[in-house]
Amino acid sequence: MARSLRDWLAHSPLPHLESRLLWQQVLGVSRTWLITHDADLPDAGQAAAYQALEARRLAGEPIAYILGYREFWGRNFHVSPAVLIPRPDTELLVECGLQAIAGLPSPQVLDLGTGSGIVAISMALDRPDARVRATDCSLAALAVAEMNARALGAKLLFSHGNWYDSQLGSEQYDLIVSNPPYIDSQDTHLVQGDLRFEPQGALTDGADGLSDLHRIAQGAAAYLRSGGVLCVEHGWDQAAAVRALFQSSGFSDVASLRDLAGIERVTWGRLPA
Ligand SMILES: C[S@@+](CC[C@H](N)C(=O)[O-])C[C@H]1O[C@@H](n2cnc3c(N)ncnc32)[C@H](O)[C@@H]1O
């Protein structure tokens, strides 16, 4: 017997929100449309398409990869399994970066490990006078970032390579931002939940979680102007270690910022002028 959208939603083994998002995806409609048409009967093709998406979600695939997008800093970004799924925590990195360049005209910004491009693109759109370069060692990730920049109308420069070894030339930056892989390779969360589906090279440095943060802090002085700022995201228990890395790399005014859960999530420091 044909079932209405309301019945499909009521009987899905998925949480209501996820089931609704999958139906919106299948039908190409808004939340309001779905609510106002919940007595409609999907046809057999639509029901089969929904069931295929539902089966993927029930097998554990992250909803963002199934939908193909995730909202960040008020905009939708395309995501694929080539990139980390944007996390709300990373908005603190954008906030920190924007604050660091607040008084500077036409600042030069470098985003190391851009993934889907969320940090670089959000900053470029909020500061259209900034010149923002985004790098990644993954060509597949850079392709996603370029697609997002085009779709959202952000003008960025892109470089492929290993951290500072990305043909950066002799350019000097006012700000370097980075959300590098910082999960310890022995952390069992890497083989659980959504993380199983995300690129391992975006999650872990293959070591203790601090090795990429170390490289980024140590190499920054060669690419920052005097008075320039480095701002990084890190794990919930890494703030003290990252502050020490910044201090031993020549930064002053080193401080960590807390996320909405009260966890020290971002650390920044300034090169002496
Ligand atoms: C934690 S993800 C962050 C992605 C994005 N900035 C975000 O916040 O969602 C880390 C990114 O760093 C990139 N990455 C890992 N190792 C790298 C390296 N050695 N050089 C450059 N990028 C690297 C990964 O490909 C990945 O896109």
Side-chain angles (χ1 to χ4, degrees):
M1 197 182 74
R3 293 160 79 188
S4 67
L5 286 167
R6 191 186 312 132
D7 288 339
W8 278 99
L9 287 163
H11 294 108
S12 171
L14 295 177
H16 181 83
L17 170 68
E18 292 186 357
S19 177
R20 174 171 66 68
L21 287 169
L22 295 183
W23 271 114
Q24 284 178 228
Q25 178 87 347
V26 166
L27 302 175
V29 299
S30 68
R31 175 171 185 258
T32 311
W33 189 98
L34 206 65
I35 292 167
T36 52
H37 291 75
D38 70 348
D40 284 13
L41 307 178
D43 65 31
Q46 290 166 335
Y50 170 79
Q51 284 174 307
L53 298 189
E54 186 183 69
R56 284 169 62 187
R57 182 63 192 132
L58 289 170
E61 191 173 339
I63 192 94
Y65 288 154
I66 299 173
L67 298 174
Y69 70 89
R70 173 55 55 90
E71 190 265 344
F72 180 85
W73 202 251
R75 301 179 181 98
N76 278 343
F77 285 81
H78 169 65
V79 293
S80 78
V83 296
L84 188 88
I85 298 167
R87 309 290 202 267
D89 294 339
T90 306
E91 296 195 338
L92 187 60
L93 183 65
V94 174
E95 257 179 73
C96 180
L98 287 171
Q99 200 163 342
I101 55 170
L104 293 177
S106 308
Q108 305 258 88
V109 178
L110 176 63
D111 175 24
L112 295 172
T114 200
S116 59
I118 51 167
V119 175
I121 294 169
S122 299
M123 293 195 66
L125 290 173
D126 278 28
R127 280 295 303 267
D129 63 327
R131 183 178 155 91
V132 183
R133 182 178 290 279
T135 77
D136 209 287
C137 65
S138 159
L139 282 171
L142 282 174
V144 173
E146 287 185 72
M147 182 191 295
N148 279 321
R150 246 194 329 274
L152 293 166
K155 287 203 178 64
L156 299 185
L157 302 162
F158 291 97
S159 299
H160 174 235
N162 181 11
W163 300 133
Y164 298 103
D165 192 6
S166 313
Q167 289 147 356
L168 298 177
S170 57
E171 235 166 312
Q172 295 280 293
Y173 295 88
D174 298 294
L175 170 69
I176 298 175
V177 279
S178 185
N179 174 18
Y182 53 70
I183 302 179
D184 187 317
S185 61
Q186 301 304 311
D187 191 324
T188 52
H189 290 101
L190 289 169
V191 289
Q192 295 168 19
D194 282 8
L195 299 196
R196 286 171 298 158
F197 292 83
E198 294 184 280
Q200 291 292 296
L203 295 167
T204 177
D205 57 356
D208 64 354
L210 288 167
S211 67
D212 283 328
L213 285 158
H214 190 167
R215 264 181 222 120
I216 289 166
Q218 284 232 308
Y223 293 91
L224 281 174
R225 292 183 212 285
S226 56
V229 167
L230 173 64
C231 199
V232 298
E233 179 175 325
H234 48 70
W236 63 274
D237 57 351
Q238 292 171 329
V242 174
R243 285 195 296 273
L245 283 177
F246 272 46
Q247 276 148 357
S248 66
S249 305
F251 286 92
S252 54
D253 302 334
V254 177
S256 300
L257 305 176
R258 292 178 191 276
D259 64 17
L260 290 176
I263 294 165
E264 288 180 322
R265 182 56 74 180
V266 163
T267 292
W268 75 286
R270 189 181 290 284
L271 276 190

